[in-house]
Amino acid sequence: MTGVEFAAPLFFALLPAPLLLLAFAKPAPQSGGALTLPASIRDRLHAQSARVSRADMAWPLIAASIAWISLVLALAGPRVADAVAALPASGRDIMFVLDLSGSMTKQDFRLNGALVSRLDLVKHVGSELIRRRDGDRIGLVVFAETALVASPLSFDIRAVARALDEMEIGLVGRSTAIGEGLGLALKRLAESTSPSRVVILLSDGANTAGSVDPVSVAALAKSLGVRVYTIGLGVDDTTTNPNKYDAVDFDALQNVARIGGGSAFRARTGDDLDAAARAIEALAAGDAPAPPTVIFHELWIYPATVAFAACAAIALASRMRR
């Protein structure tokens, strides 16, 4: 823990403001009295009034000064910086890019002995993978005809896993714009300063929509130092069944991963998908120094409380004199 610092020290320039107001303020005009008193009585009354006036004005002036100084101090934002070694941080940012096209509704996988859709399987395996990434910042992009950031990069991996569980087909159309999804994920990672940045792209089809070329995005990712891993989900490939609407273009996914500096994985069963997730997890788990994380303990509440108490005392005294 270091010494006290101020978030907005420029507020200290306001400290002499009351003195400047007094210096430039015009004195209020005084009306003359209609009663003429002897000089001795007048001098005695003036002396007594001055003693009472000084006694009455001394402590309100002190209280007002304390209130103003405390208020300016609170506005300046006193705080103490503290190291937070207990917070988990790996220095890795990972964006999951999930295909939500219409073919993801096909039920050709088994989970715990039951037939499930491709999307349900991805939710199950993906949620477990995300929950194992404690210490990483995780984000989620979904795509079909268009792309959408379903969850921004966050250390709250449970919230990202919940966002994945809530995804539904039709949210962003039903086509397959792989380039759009990959491009949106790269845009978010390009803004990151983490030393290790990864995209994990999962698709069960071919790039049939959008104006962005996935290969061009992968090349850009490589130049930015972002690694791209891909998973091709489904039983059939476009190389063996080119006319099948739900066949995965695994050749294209391999090319994207190769250009993006990562690896490509093929998942024809639930076990394949789980193995691919764990393999990517191991590849993305290299050492990466965590960026420095600092938490500030804000102290403005203390001078603000003093200012409030001084103002309350002035108001109470003024009311009692009435």
Side-chain angles (χ1 to χ4, degrees):
M1 185 176 290
T2 60
V4 177
E5 62 180 71
F6 297 93
L10 290 178
F11 275 107
F12 284 119
L14 295 176
L15 279 174
L19 297 177
L20 295 175
L21 289 176
L22 288 175
F24 290 100
K26 294 182 179 179
Q30 298 183 358
S31 59
L35 179 63
T36 302
L37 296 175
S40 60
I41 298 176
R42 185 176 64 248
D43 293 342
R44 189 182 304 170
L45 290 174
H46 283 170
Q48 183 179 0
S49 176
R51 287 195 299 270
V52 174
S53 178
R54 283 194 295 269
D56 287 345
M57 292 299 297
W59 81 264
L61 181 61
I62 294 173
S65 300
I66 292 174
W68 178 248
I69 293 172
S70 299
L71 179 61
V72 172
L73 185 60
L75 290 173
R79 61 188 185 179
V80 175
D82 194 9
V84 285
L87 287 179
S90 68
R92 287 182 293 270
D93 282 352
I94 301 176
M95 289 295 299
F96 285 84
V97 184
L98 174 62
D99 189 342
L100 277 188
S101 60
S103 56
M104 290 290 287
T105 61
K106 185 172 183 179
Q107 294 184 333
D108 55 355
F109 284 88
R110 290 193 173 274
L111 178 62
N112 298 326
L115 199 63
V116 297
S117 69
R118 298 176 178 180
L119 180 59
D120 288 336
L121 179 68
V122 169
K123 285 182 179 181
H124 175 76
V125 175
S127 294
E128 288 188 350
L129 172 59
I130 290 172
R131 288 188 172 93
R132 290 196 299 266
R133 303 307 302 172
D134 194 24
D136 295 340
R137 280 206 314 168
I138 306 296
L140 175 63
V141 167
V142 294
F143 70 91
E145 187 174 346
T146 59
L148 171 71
V149 178
S151 180
L153 286 165
S154 172
F155 284 115
D156 190 351
I157 55 177
R158 290 167 183 79
V160 181
R162 286 196 300 270
L164 173 59
D165 289 336
E166 293 170 358
M167 292 299 101
E168 299 293 340
I169 302 300
L171 180 65
V172 283
R174 302 184 73 86
S175 303
T176 309
I178 295 176
E180 301 287 343
L182 186 58
L184 183 55
L186 182 60
K187 180 179 179 181
R188 289 305 179 99
L189 287 176
E191 300 168 355
S192 166
T193 58
S194 293
S196 178
R197 295 168 294 169
V198 173
V199 173
I200 300 176
L201 168 68
L202 188 146
S203 177
D204 72 335
N207 189 57
T208 58
S211 58
V212 180
D213 179 20
V215 173
S216 299
V217 179
L220 179 59
K222 178 70 173 179
S223 67
L224 294 175
V226 177
R227 287 177 292 164
V228 180
Y229 295 93
T230 61
I231 301 176
L233 182 67
V235 177
D236 297 307
D237 294 328
T238 54
T239 53
T240 56
N241 292 284
N243 297 322
K244 198 164 186 178
Y245 84 96
D246 60 350
V248 59
D249 188 356
F250 188 59
D251 287 344
L253 293 179
Q254 282 182 308
N255 197 30
V256 166
R258 178 183 58 79
I259 294 174
S263 303
F265 298 86
R266 189 72 175 88
R268 291 184 173 86
T269 65
D271 291 339
D272 288 344
L273 180 59
D274 185 63
R278 292 183 181 277
I280 293 175
E281 187 177 16
L283 290 170
D287 294 333
T293 303
V294 177
I295 281 184
F296 290 101
H297 298 281
E298 303 292 343
L299 305 177
W300 63 267
I301 186 64
Y302 301 109
T305 301
V306 173
F308 176 80
C311 291
I314 295 172
L316 181 61
S318 176
R319 185 170 182 178
M320 291 176 64
R321 285 200 302 266
R322 292 177 182 176

